[in-house]
Amino acid sequence: MTITEQPTTTETIPHFIAGSRREGSGRTAPVFNPALGTVAREVALASADEVAEAIAAAKAAFPAWRDLSIAKRQAIMFRFRELLVARKDDLARIITAEHGKVHSDALGEIARAIEVVELATAFPLMTKGEFSENVSTGVDVYSLRQPLGVVGIISPFNFPAMVPLWFAPIALAAGNSVVLKPSEKDPSAAVFIAELYAEAGLPAGVLTVVHGDKEAVDVLLTHEDVAAISFVGSTPIAQYVYETGSKHGKRVQALGGAKNHMLVLPDADLDVTADAAVNAGFGSAGERCMAISVVLAVESIADELQAKIAERMQGIRTGDGTRDNDMGPLISAAHRDKVVGYIGTAEADGATVVVDGRDPEVDGDPNGFWVKPTLLDKVPTESKAYQEEIFGPVLSIVRVASYEEGLELINANPFGNGTAIFTNDGGAARRFQNEVQVGMVGVNVPIPVPVGYHSFGGWKQSAFGQGKAYGKHAFDFYTREKVVTSRWLDPSHGGLNLGFPSN
Ligand code: NAD
């Protein structure tokens, strides 16, 4: 089978170890087509031994990869970029088949991934060291940035291509080998990416994909041959990954969940704001860590904004992502039920259901995991529907009296991933950017995902550990500094001196 083909229904999605596909030997899990609600194929779930084998392959591949010339490593990175651009439609189709997001949205995630792939080609500049000549007579000091060894990447279901490619290109370019454990819910994109890297000339073992669940993750977190972990997923697992990996001596960055608020001041352009709220709330069915989940509307404009948002929602086409729709299904039946549960909770707690997405009329199979765009107003902040991450197409309006009340709610929230302010008042926007306790801030931009050369990462419960995804932080995260003090003997040196070295 070539990588352009999608797996057939009878296939079990294999691992990719030491440069080739590897059948699993034990447990499997079903992979659904969420638009049909049916099991499309199975995925192998690696045993502890299989993960150890993958780590051993990565460890064995590391020294030669680390020592390959910069020019040759860079050529592979450029070739991968060209292949990814050429094959992005194939990859997007794989994403839609397993995740459910519409084709244009899948292409959007690949476009953001390509930004990081392109950034990674700058590794010679980003990882070069420094040199100080003659710190003492005939003595030079220089610093090197060297790769860490084997890096583990553990990724979530919602961006099956982009999140692995937030990390892998820079980790690889910097000279590390990588073991990627993608989400078991939509694992095929990772195999496609690994095979594309192989086609680009990446040596066998340098990028390995193992599928699995907690059993596989735990091996990566505890194995002595894994030097660093990059994780993205929900907050409880991010915290677990951070604590377990750190305890086992690894450098860990673990990005978690979110509850992103958009504060709308009375002077905002309400048409632009309503467009932004709808796009950011319902794109990818709200299954984005930077989705807007709560609109904080200052009371004087709340009725008008609610009406404008509700009106725009009528135009959203929900249905099968392979057709001309705007929004696809949710990832699983369990997740659909959870999201529907939150709508019921909000209603029971006194919220108004302005647009009810529990209506099953969609352009797709009735068995798909559908929830249509839902708008809640006057959501009480005591409700679990306000407090917890819903991760679905549910936008909650919470009415506030003032900028101060809105800011206080955002800063009291345990998450700190993204936020946005909508206003035409530059002073208010500047004050917000200064006062808000959130890692990524939009000013009249609802989804402020930084471009590749700025780094991505939240604050508080949205990220654990040091170092963010991509940008210059990533080159530091995947390398460590070594400082060399060097003297080449010449006839002027010599003689005994037991004193502490001084210049
Ligand atoms: P998840 O936490 O369920 O899974 C993430 C990864 O962890 C998967 O590879 C999964 O196999 C593994 N995993 C699951 N349970 C585990 C356990 N008990 N022990 C060890 N590993 C385990 O997350 P998800 O549902 O795949 O993704 C959605 C979540 O990810 C949301 O909370 C979303 O906000 C978050 N997310 C955050 C960002 C960010 O940048 N902050 C980006 C994307 C998604």
Side-chain angles (χ1 to χ4, degrees), residues 153-159 162-163 166-167 181-186 212-218 221 231-238 240-241 254-260 287-290 331 335 389 391 415 417 440 456-458 461-463 469:
I153 298 173
I154 302 153
S155 55
F157 80 82
N158 66 322
F159 286 110
M162 184 183 79
V163 169
W166 273 358
F167 301 112
K181 207 297 290 169
S183 170
E184 64 277 34
K185 296 187 179 120
D186 45 15
D213 51 13
K214 180 172 167 48
E215 182 174 345
V217 171
D218 282 345
L221 299 181
F231 171 90
V232 179
S234 58
T235 287
I237 311 296
Y240 167 76
V241 164
L255 278 58
K259 188 86 186 180
N260 306 316
E287 289 175 325
R288 288 180 182 147
C289 67
M290 291 291 278
I331 187 69
H335 190 51
E389 180 180 37
F391 219 56
F415 297 108
N417 214 39
M440 292 170 282
F456 183 106
Q461 297 286 304
S462 293

Short mmCIF file of all heavy atoms in Angstrom, two decimals, residues 153-159 162-163 166-167 181-186 212-218 221 231-238 240-241 254-260 287-290 331 335 389 391 415 417 440 456-458 461-463 469, ligand 1:
data_model
loop_
_atom_site.label_atom_id
_atom_site.label_comp_id
_atom_site.label_asym_id
_atom_site.label_seq_id
_atom_site.Cartn_x
_atom_site.Cartn_y
_atom_site.Cartn_z
N ILE A 153 6.88 12.71 21.63
CA ILE A 153 5.80 13.66 21.34
C ILE A 153 4.48 12.93 21.50
O ILE A 153 4.29 11.85 20.92
CB ILE A 153 5.92 14.23 19.91
CG1 ILE A 153 7.23 15.01 19.76
CG2 ILE A 153 4.72 15.12 19.58
CD1 ILE A 153 7.52 15.47 18.33
N ILE A 154 3.59 13.48 22.30
CA ILE A 154 2.28 12.85 22.55
C ILE A 154 1.23 13.88 22.17
O ILE A 154 1.22 14.99 22.72
CB ILE A 154 2.15 12.45 24.04
CG1 ILE A 154 3.29 11.48 24.42
CG2 ILE A 154 0.79 11.83 24.31
CD1 ILE A 154 3.66 11.54 25.89
N SER A 155 0.35 13.53 21.23
CA SER A 155 -0.52 14.56 20.66
C SER A 155 -2.00 14.21 20.82
O SER A 155 -2.36 13.06 20.99
CB SER A 155 -0.14 14.81 19.20
OG SER A 155 -0.19 13.61 18.47
N PRO A 156 -2.86 15.24 20.73
CA PRO A 156 -4.30 15.07 20.93
C PRO A 156 -5.02 14.78 19.61
O PRO A 156 -4.42 14.87 18.54
CB PRO A 156 -4.72 16.43 21.47
CG PRO A 156 -3.84 17.38 20.73
CD PRO A 156 -2.52 16.67 20.52
N PHE A 157 -6.32 14.50 19.72
CA PHE A 157 -7.06 14.15 18.50
C PHE A 157 -7.39 15.36 17.64
O PHE A 157 -7.63 15.22 16.44
CB PHE A 157 -8.38 13.43 18.87
CG PHE A 157 -9.49 14.36 19.30
CD1 PHE A 157 -10.27 15.01 18.36
CD2 PHE A 157 -9.74 14.60 20.64
CE1 PHE A 157 -11.29 15.88 18.74
CE2 PHE A 157 -10.76 15.47 21.03
CZ PHE A 157 -11.52 16.11 20.08
N ASN A 158 -7.43 16.57 18.22
CA ASN A 158 -8.11 17.64 17.50
C ASN A 158 -7.28 18.27 16.38
O ASN A 158 -7.84 18.89 15.48
CB ASN A 158 -8.64 18.71 18.46
CG ASN A 158 -7.55 19.46 19.17
OD1 ASN A 158 -6.53 18.88 19.54
ND2 ASN A 158 -7.75 20.75 19.36
N PHE A 159 -5.95 18.10 16.42
CA PHE A 159 -5.11 18.53 15.30
C PHE A 159 -4.16 17.39 14.98
O PHE A 159 -2.98 17.42 15.35
CB PHE A 159 -4.34 19.80 15.65
CG PHE A 159 -5.18 21.05 15.67
CD1 PHE A 159 -5.48 21.69 16.86
CD2 PHE A 159 -5.69 21.57 14.49
CE1 PHE A 159 -6.26 22.84 16.88
CE2 PHE A 159 -6.48 22.72 14.50
CZ PHE A 159 -6.76 23.36 15.70
N MET A 162 -1.31 19.03 12.65
CA MET A 162 -0.65 20.28 13.07
C MET A 162 0.12 20.12 14.38
O MET A 162 1.27 20.58 14.47
CB MET A 162 -1.67 21.41 13.21
CG MET A 162 -1.03 22.75 13.56
SD MET A 162 -2.24 24.06 13.81
CE MET A 162 -2.80 23.72 15.47
N VAL A 163 -0.47 19.46 15.37
CA VAL A 163 0.24 19.39 16.65
C VAL A 163 1.51 18.54 16.55
O VAL A 163 2.57 18.99 16.99
CB VAL A 163 -0.70 18.96 17.81
CG1 VAL A 163 0.11 18.62 19.05
CG2 VAL A 163 -1.68 20.09 18.13
N TRP A 166 3.89 20.81 15.11
CA TRP A 166 4.36 21.92 15.94
C TRP A 166 5.72 21.57 16.53
O TRP A 166 6.53 22.43 16.83
CB TRP A 166 3.42 22.13 17.13
CG TRP A 166 2.25 23.01 16.91
CD1 TRP A 166 1.89 23.69 15.79
CD2 TRP A 166 1.25 23.30 17.90
NE1 TRP A 166 0.73 24.38 16.03
CE2 TRP A 166 0.32 24.16 17.30
CE3 TRP A 166 1.06 22.91 19.23
CZ2 TRP A 166 -0.79 24.65 17.99
CZ3 TRP A 166 -0.05 23.40 19.91
CH2 TRP A 166 -0.97 24.26 19.29
N PHE A 167 5.93 20.26 16.74
CA PHE A 167 7.10 19.83 17.51
C PHE A 167 8.15 19.11 16.66
O PHE A 167 9.33 19.42 16.72
CB PHE A 167 6.66 18.90 18.65
CG PHE A 167 5.69 19.53 19.62
CD1 PHE A 167 4.37 19.10 19.71
CD2 PHE A 167 6.10 20.56 20.45
CE1 PHE A 167 3.49 19.68 20.61
CE2 PHE A 167 5.23 21.15 21.35
CZ PHE A 167 3.91 20.71 21.43
N LYS A 181 3.69 9.61 19.57
CA LYS A 181 2.52 8.81 19.96
C LYS A 181 1.30 9.69 19.70
O LYS A 181 0.92 10.51 20.51
CB LYS A 181 2.61 8.44 21.44
CG LYS A 181 1.90 7.17 21.88
CD LYS A 181 0.39 7.17 21.70
CE LYS A 181 -0.38 8.07 22.61
NZ LYS A 181 -1.80 8.18 22.19
N PRO A 182 0.68 9.53 18.51
CA PRO A 182 -0.48 10.38 18.19
C PRO A 182 -1.72 9.91 18.93
O PRO A 182 -1.72 8.85 19.57
CB PRO A 182 -0.63 10.18 16.69
CG PRO A 182 -0.10 8.81 16.43
CD PRO A 182 0.98 8.55 17.46
N SER A 183 -2.78 10.68 18.80
CA SER A 183 -4.06 10.25 19.39
C SER A 183 -4.51 8.96 18.72
O SER A 183 -4.46 8.84 17.49
CB SER A 183 -5.12 11.33 19.20
OG SER A 183 -6.38 10.81 19.57
N GLU A 184 -4.98 8.05 19.52
CA GLU A 184 -5.47 6.77 18.98
C GLU A 184 -6.83 6.95 18.29
O GLU A 184 -7.32 6.03 17.64
CB GLU A 184 -5.56 5.71 20.09
CG GLU A 184 -6.56 5.98 21.20
CD GLU A 184 -6.04 6.91 22.31
OE1 GLU A 184 -5.26 7.83 22.00
OE2 GLU A 184 -6.45 6.72 23.47
N LYS A 185 -7.41 8.17 18.39
CA LYS A 185 -8.72 8.39 17.75
C LYS A 185 -8.57 8.71 16.27
O LYS A 185 -9.47 8.43 15.48
CB LYS A 185 -9.46 9.52 18.46
CG LYS A 185 -9.77 9.16 19.91
CD LYS A 185 -10.64 10.20 20.57
CE LYS A 185 -10.94 9.78 22.00
NZ LYS A 185 -10.47 10.74 22.98
N ASP A 186 -7.47 9.36 15.89
CA ASP A 186 -7.25 9.66 14.46
C ASP A 186 -5.77 9.53 14.12
O ASP A 186 -5.08 10.51 13.85
CB ASP A 186 -7.81 11.05 14.08
CG ASP A 186 -7.46 12.13 15.07
OD1 ASP A 186 -6.56 11.92 15.92
OD2 ASP A 186 -8.07 13.22 14.99
N GLY A 212 -1.07 4.11 20.58
CA GLY A 212 -1.33 3.50 21.87
C GLY A 212 -2.10 4.41 22.79
O GLY A 212 -2.56 5.50 22.40
N ASP A 213 -2.23 3.94 24.01
CA ASP A 213 -2.97 4.67 25.03
C ASP A 213 -2.06 4.89 26.24
O ASP A 213 -0.85 5.02 26.08
CB ASP A 213 -4.27 3.93 25.38
CG ASP A 213 -4.02 2.46 25.71
OD1 ASP A 213 -2.85 2.07 25.91
OD2 ASP A 213 -5.00 1.69 25.77
N LYS A 214 -2.63 4.87 27.42
CA LYS A 214 -1.85 5.16 28.63
C LYS A 214 -0.63 4.24 28.77
O LYS A 214 0.44 4.68 29.18
CB LYS A 214 -2.76 5.03 29.85
CG LYS A 214 -2.07 5.32 31.17
CD LYS A 214 -3.08 5.38 32.30
CE LYS A 214 -2.43 5.34 33.67
NZ LYS A 214 -1.33 6.26 33.86
N GLU A 215 -0.80 2.98 28.38
CA GLU A 215 0.32 2.04 28.51
C GLU A 215 1.54 2.52 27.72
O GLU A 215 2.68 2.51 28.23
CB GLU A 215 -0.11 0.64 28.03
CG GLU A 215 0.99 -0.40 28.18
CD GLU A 215 0.54 -1.83 27.83
OE1 GLU A 215 -0.68 -2.09 27.75
OE2 GLU A 215 1.42 -2.68 27.65
N ALA A 216 1.30 3.00 26.50
CA ALA A 216 2.41 3.49 25.67
C ALA A 216 2.97 4.79 26.23
O ALA A 216 4.19 4.99 26.30
CB ALA A 216 1.92 3.70 24.24
N VAL A 217 2.06 5.69 26.66
CA VAL A 217 2.51 6.99 27.17
C VAL A 217 3.39 6.79 28.40
O VAL A 217 4.45 7.41 28.56
CB VAL A 217 1.29 7.89 27.50
CG1 VAL A 217 1.72 9.16 28.24
CG2 VAL A 217 0.54 8.24 26.22
N ASP A 218 2.98 5.88 29.27
CA ASP A 218 3.74 5.67 30.51
C ASP A 218 5.16 5.20 30.24
O ASP A 218 6.09 5.55 30.98
CB ASP A 218 3.00 4.69 31.43
CG ASP A 218 1.83 5.37 32.15
OD1 ASP A 218 1.79 6.63 32.16
OD2 ASP A 218 0.97 4.66 32.70
N LEU A 221 7.15 8.23 29.33
CA LEU A 221 7.37 9.14 30.47
C LEU A 221 8.41 8.63 31.45
O LEU A 221 8.97 9.40 32.23
CB LEU A 221 6.05 9.37 31.24
CG LEU A 221 4.91 10.00 30.45
CD1 LEU A 221 3.69 10.19 31.35
CD2 LEU A 221 5.35 11.34 29.86
N PHE A 231 4.03 17.39 25.05
CA PHE A 231 2.68 16.83 25.16
C PHE A 231 1.66 17.92 24.88
O PHE A 231 1.81 19.06 25.32
CB PHE A 231 2.44 16.28 26.57
CG PHE A 231 1.00 15.88 26.82
CD1 PHE A 231 0.57 14.58 26.55
CD2 PHE A 231 0.07 16.81 27.29
CE1 PHE A 231 -0.77 14.23 26.74
CE2 PHE A 231 -1.27 16.46 27.49
CZ PHE A 231 -1.69 15.17 27.22
N VAL A 232 0.56 17.55 24.22
CA VAL A 232 -0.62 18.42 24.10
C VAL A 232 -1.85 17.56 24.34
O VAL A 232 -1.98 16.48 23.74
CB VAL A 232 -0.71 19.11 22.73
CG1 VAL A 232 -1.97 19.97 22.66
CG2 VAL A 232 0.51 19.97 22.45
N GLY A 233 -2.74 18.04 25.19
CA GLY A 233 -3.98 17.31 25.45
C GLY A 233 -4.77 18.01 26.55
O GLY A 233 -4.60 19.21 26.78
N SER A 234 -5.60 17.26 27.23
CA SER A 234 -6.45 17.86 28.27
C SER A 234 -5.63 18.16 29.53
O SER A 234 -4.57 17.56 29.75
CB SER A 234 -7.59 16.91 28.59
OG SER A 234 -7.06 15.67 29.01
N THR A 235 -6.13 19.06 30.34
CA THR A 235 -5.35 19.51 31.50
C THR A 235 -5.01 18.40 32.50
O THR A 235 -3.85 18.31 32.93
CB THR A 235 -6.08 20.69 32.18
OG1 THR A 235 -5.91 21.82 31.33
CG2 THR A 235 -5.50 21.01 33.56
N PRO A 236 -5.94 17.53 32.88
CA PRO A 236 -5.53 16.50 33.87
C PRO A 236 -4.40 15.62 33.34
O PRO A 236 -3.49 15.27 34.09
CB PRO A 236 -6.81 15.68 34.08
CG PRO A 236 -7.93 16.55 33.60
CD PRO A 236 -7.36 17.45 32.56
N ILE A 237 -4.44 15.27 32.04
CA ILE A 237 -3.39 14.41 31.49
C ILE A 237 -2.09 15.22 31.34
O ILE A 237 -1.00 14.70 31.59
CB ILE A 237 -3.82 13.78 30.14
CG1 ILE A 237 -5.22 13.16 30.22
CG2 ILE A 237 -2.81 12.74 29.68
CD1 ILE A 237 -5.37 12.00 31.15
N ALA A 238 -2.22 16.49 30.96
CA ALA A 238 -1.02 17.34 30.83
C ALA A 238 -0.30 17.42 32.17
O ALA A 238 0.94 17.33 32.24
CB ALA A 238 -1.40 18.73 30.34
N TYR A 240 -0.47 15.27 34.64
CA TYR A 240 0.09 13.93 34.93
C TYR A 240 1.40 13.72 34.14
O TYR A 240 2.40 13.24 34.68
CB TYR A 240 -0.96 12.87 34.57
CG TYR A 240 -0.41 11.46 34.52
CD1 TYR A 240 -0.13 10.77 35.69
CD2 TYR A 240 -0.15 10.84 33.29
CE1 TYR A 240 0.40 9.47 35.64
CE2 TYR A 240 0.37 9.56 33.23
CZ TYR A 240 0.64 8.88 34.41
OH TYR A 240 1.17 7.62 34.36
N VAL A 241 1.35 14.08 32.87
CA VAL A 241 2.53 13.90 32.01
C VAL A 241 3.69 14.75 32.53
O VAL A 241 4.84 14.29 32.63
CB VAL A 241 2.18 14.28 30.55
CG1 VAL A 241 3.43 14.49 29.69
CG2 VAL A 241 1.29 13.20 29.93
N ALA A 254 4.09 20.47 28.65
CA ALA A 254 2.79 19.80 28.55
C ALA A 254 1.70 20.86 28.46
O ALA A 254 1.44 21.58 29.42
CB ALA A 254 2.58 18.90 29.77
N LEU A 255 1.12 20.96 27.28
CA LEU A 255 0.09 21.97 27.03
C LEU A 255 -1.28 21.35 27.28
O LEU A 255 -1.55 20.23 26.82
CB LEU A 255 0.19 22.47 25.58
CG LEU A 255 1.24 23.54 25.29
CD1 LEU A 255 2.64 23.09 25.67
CD2 LEU A 255 1.22 23.94 23.83
N GLY A 256 -2.13 22.07 28.01
CA GLY A 256 -3.40 21.50 28.43
C GLY A 256 -4.62 22.18 27.83
O GLY A 256 -4.54 22.80 26.77
N GLY A 257 -5.73 22.06 28.52
CA GLY A 257 -7.03 22.52 28.02
C GLY A 257 -7.21 24.03 28.12
O GLY A 257 -6.28 24.77 28.46
N ALA A 258 -8.44 24.46 27.83
CA ALA A 258 -8.67 25.91 27.71
C ALA A 258 -10.14 26.25 27.94
O ALA A 258 -11.01 25.39 27.86
CB ALA A 258 -8.26 26.36 26.31
N LYS A 259 -10.37 27.50 28.24
CA LYS A 259 -11.72 28.07 28.27
C LYS A 259 -11.52 29.53 27.87
O LYS A 259 -11.20 30.37 28.70
CB LYS A 259 -12.29 27.96 29.69
CG LYS A 259 -13.75 28.33 29.80
CD LYS A 259 -14.66 27.17 29.50
CE LYS A 259 -16.11 27.59 29.47
NZ LYS A 259 -17.02 26.46 29.16
N ASN A 260 -11.65 29.79 26.58
CA ASN A 260 -11.23 31.10 26.07
C ASN A 260 -12.38 32.09 26.03
O ASN A 260 -13.44 31.81 25.47
CB ASN A 260 -10.61 30.93 24.68
CG ASN A 260 -9.48 29.90 24.70
OD1 ASN A 260 -8.64 29.91 25.60
ND2 ASN A 260 -9.48 28.98 23.75
N GLU A 287 -13.88 22.22 18.50
CA GLU A 287 -12.85 21.31 19.03
C GLU A 287 -11.45 21.88 18.75
O GLU A 287 -10.60 21.24 18.15
CB GLU A 287 -12.98 19.92 18.40
CG GLU A 287 -14.22 19.18 18.88
CD GLU A 287 -14.41 17.84 18.16
OE1 GLU A 287 -14.09 17.76 16.95
OE2 GLU A 287 -14.89 16.90 18.78
N ARG A 288 -11.26 23.12 19.19
CA ARG A 288 -9.95 23.75 19.07
C ARG A 288 -9.60 24.32 20.45
O ARG A 288 -10.45 24.93 21.09
CB ARG A 288 -9.99 24.95 18.10
CG ARG A 288 -10.13 24.60 16.65
CD ARG A 288 -10.15 25.91 15.85
NE ARG A 288 -10.34 25.71 14.43
CZ ARG A 288 -11.00 26.56 13.65
NH1 ARG A 288 -11.54 27.67 14.15
NH2 ARG A 288 -11.13 26.33 12.35
N CYS A 289 -8.34 24.16 20.83
CA CYS A 289 -7.95 24.68 22.14
C CYS A 289 -7.96 26.20 22.17
O CYS A 289 -7.90 26.80 23.23
CB CYS A 289 -6.58 24.16 22.53
SG CYS A 289 -5.30 24.82 21.47
N MET A 290 -8.03 26.84 21.00
CA MET A 290 -8.10 28.30 20.96
C MET A 290 -9.50 28.78 20.55
O MET A 290 -9.69 29.97 20.26
CB MET A 290 -7.04 28.86 20.01
CG MET A 290 -5.62 28.68 20.53
SD MET A 290 -5.25 29.73 21.96
CE MET A 290 -4.86 31.27 21.13
N ILE A 331 -15.89 14.20 17.58
CA ILE A 331 -14.96 13.08 17.38
C ILE A 331 -15.57 11.72 17.73
O ILE A 331 -15.22 10.71 17.13
CB ILE A 331 -13.64 13.32 18.17
CG1 ILE A 331 -12.59 12.26 17.86
CG2 ILE A 331 -13.90 13.39 19.68
CD1 ILE A 331 -12.02 12.33 16.49
N HIS A 335 -18.19 11.87 23.23
CA HIS A 335 -17.95 13.32 23.31
C HIS A 335 -19.22 14.10 22.93
O HIS A 335 -19.55 15.10 23.56
CB HIS A 335 -16.77 13.70 22.43
CG HIS A 335 -16.32 15.11 22.65
ND1 HIS A 335 -16.06 15.62 23.91
CD2 HIS A 335 -16.13 16.15 21.80
CE1 HIS A 335 -15.72 16.89 23.81
NE2 HIS A 335 -15.77 17.24 22.54
N GLU A 389 -14.29 23.05 30.45
CA GLU A 389 -14.05 23.08 29.01
C GLU A 389 -15.09 22.18 28.34
O GLU A 389 -15.18 20.99 28.66
CB GLU A 389 -12.63 22.56 28.71
CG GLU A 389 -12.30 22.56 27.23
CD GLU A 389 -10.89 22.06 26.92
OE1 GLU A 389 -10.42 21.12 27.59
OE2 GLU A 389 -10.27 22.61 25.99
N PHE A 391 -15.48 21.96 24.73
CA PHE A 391 -14.81 21.44 23.54
C PHE A 391 -15.80 20.96 22.49
O PHE A 391 -15.69 19.88 21.93
CB PHE A 391 -13.84 20.31 23.93
CG PHE A 391 -12.56 20.35 23.15
CD1 PHE A 391 -11.76 21.49 23.15
CD2 PHE A 391 -12.13 19.27 22.40
CE1 PHE A 391 -10.57 21.55 22.43
CE2 PHE A 391 -10.94 19.31 21.66
CZ PHE A 391 -10.16 20.46 21.69
N PHE A 415 -7.96 28.33 33.59
CA PHE A 415 -7.23 28.20 32.33
C PHE A 415 -6.66 29.56 31.89
O PHE A 415 -7.19 30.61 32.27
CB PHE A 415 -8.15 27.69 31.22
CG PHE A 415 -8.71 26.31 31.46
CD1 PHE A 415 -10.04 26.14 31.80
CD2 PHE A 415 -7.90 25.19 31.35
CE1 PHE A 415 -10.56 24.87 32.01
CE2 PHE A 415 -8.40 23.92 31.57
CZ PHE A 415 -9.74 23.75 31.90
N ASN A 417 -5.25 29.96 28.30
CA ASN A 417 -4.69 29.68 26.97
C ASN A 417 -4.78 30.90 26.06
O ASN A 417 -3.80 31.54 25.76
CB ASN A 417 -5.40 28.48 26.35
CG ASN A 417 -4.47 27.64 25.50
OD1 ASN A 417 -3.31 27.45 25.89
ND2 ASN A 417 -4.94 27.15 24.37
N MET A 440 -1.98 33.97 25.38
CA MET A 440 -2.09 34.44 24.00
C MET A 440 -3.32 35.34 23.88
O MET A 440 -4.44 34.92 24.22
CB MET A 440 -2.17 33.25 23.04
CG MET A 440 -0.85 32.48 23.01
SD MET A 440 -0.92 30.91 22.13
CE MET A 440 -1.72 29.86 23.32
N PHE A 456 3.92 29.35 20.80
CA PHE A 456 2.55 29.05 21.22
C PHE A 456 2.57 28.45 22.62
O PHE A 456 3.29 27.50 22.89
CB PHE A 456 1.94 28.01 20.26
CG PHE A 456 0.51 27.68 20.56
CD1 PHE A 456 -0.52 28.16 19.75
CD2 PHE A 456 0.17 26.90 21.66
CE1 PHE A 456 -1.85 27.85 20.03
CE2 PHE A 456 -1.15 26.59 21.95
CZ PHE A 456 -2.17 27.07 21.13
N GLY A 457 1.76 29.00 23.50
CA GLY A 457 1.64 28.38 24.83
C GLY A 457 0.79 29.23 25.75
O GLY A 457 0.83 30.47 25.69
N GLY A 458 0.00 28.57 26.59
CA GLY A 458 -0.86 29.28 27.51
C GLY A 458 -0.21 29.47 28.87
O GLY A 458 0.96 29.12 29.08
N GLN A 461 -3.42 26.72 34.16
CA GLN A 461 -3.68 25.29 33.95
C GLN A 461 -3.65 24.89 32.47
O GLN A 461 -3.93 23.74 32.14
CB GLN A 461 -5.06 24.93 34.52
CG GLN A 461 -5.20 25.13 36.01
CD GLN A 461 -4.47 24.06 36.81
OE1 GLN A 461 -4.70 22.89 36.64
NE2 GLN A 461 -3.57 24.49 37.67
N SER A 462 -3.33 25.83 31.60
CA SER A 462 -3.27 25.50 30.16
C SER A 462 -1.88 25.07 29.72
O SER A 462 -1.70 24.68 28.56
CB SER A 462 -3.73 26.69 29.31
OG SER A 462 -5.11 26.93 29.54
N ALA A 463 -0.89 25.15 30.60
CA ALA A 463 0.45 24.70 30.20
C ALA A 463 1.29 24.43 31.44
O ALA A 463 1.27 25.21 32.39
CB ALA A 463 1.14 25.73 29.33
N ALA A 469 5.61 25.81 22.45
CA ALA A 469 5.69 25.14 21.16
C ALA A 469 6.22 26.13 20.12
O ALA A 469 5.87 27.31 20.13
CB ALA A 469 4.31 24.65 20.73
P1 NAD B 1 -6.44 13.77 25.92
O1 NAD B 1 -5.80 14.40 27.10
O2 NAD B 1 -7.56 12.83 26.13
O3 NAD B 1 -5.34 12.94 25.06
C1 NAD B 1 -4.13 13.54 24.66
C2 NAD B 1 -3.08 12.43 24.51
O4 NAD B 1 -2.88 11.82 25.78
C3 NAD B 1 -3.49 11.33 23.55
O5 NAD B 1 -2.37 10.94 22.79
C4 NAD B 1 -3.96 10.22 24.48
O6 NAD B 1 -3.74 8.93 23.94
C5 NAD B 1 -3.11 10.43 25.71
N1 NAD B 1 -3.79 10.01 26.94
C6 NAD B 1 -5.12 10.01 27.19
N2 NAD B 1 -5.37 9.57 28.43
C7 NAD B 1 -4.18 9.30 29.00
C8 NAD B 1 -3.79 8.82 30.29
N3 NAD B 1 -4.67 8.55 31.23
N4 NAD B 1 -2.47 8.65 30.53
C9 NAD B 1 -1.56 8.93 29.58
N5 NAD B 1 -1.87 9.39 28.34
C10 NAD B 1 -3.17 9.58 28.05
O7 NAD B 1 -6.87 14.97 24.94
P2 NAD B 1 -7.73 14.89 23.60
O8 NAD B 1 -9.14 14.63 23.96
O9 NAD B 1 -7.07 14.03 22.60
O10 NAD B 1 -7.58 16.39 23.08
C11 NAD B 1 -8.41 17.44 23.48
C12 NAD B 1 -7.78 18.24 24.60
O11 NAD B 1 -6.52 18.76 24.18
C13 NAD B 1 -8.61 19.46 24.98
O12 NAD B 1 -8.59 19.59 26.38
C14 NAD B 1 -7.87 20.61 24.32
O13 NAD B 1 -8.06 21.87 24.94
C15 NAD B 1 -6.46 20.16 24.45
N6 NAD B 1 -5.61 20.82 23.49
C16 NAD B 1 -4.76 21.77 23.94
C17 NAD B 1 -3.96 22.44 23.05
C18 NAD B 1 -3.00 23.49 23.54
O14 NAD B 1 -2.17 23.90 22.75
N7 NAD B 1 -3.05 23.94 24.77
C19 NAD B 1 -4.00 22.14 21.69
C20 NAD B 1 -4.88 21.13 21.25
C21 NAD B 1 -5.68 20.48 22.17
#
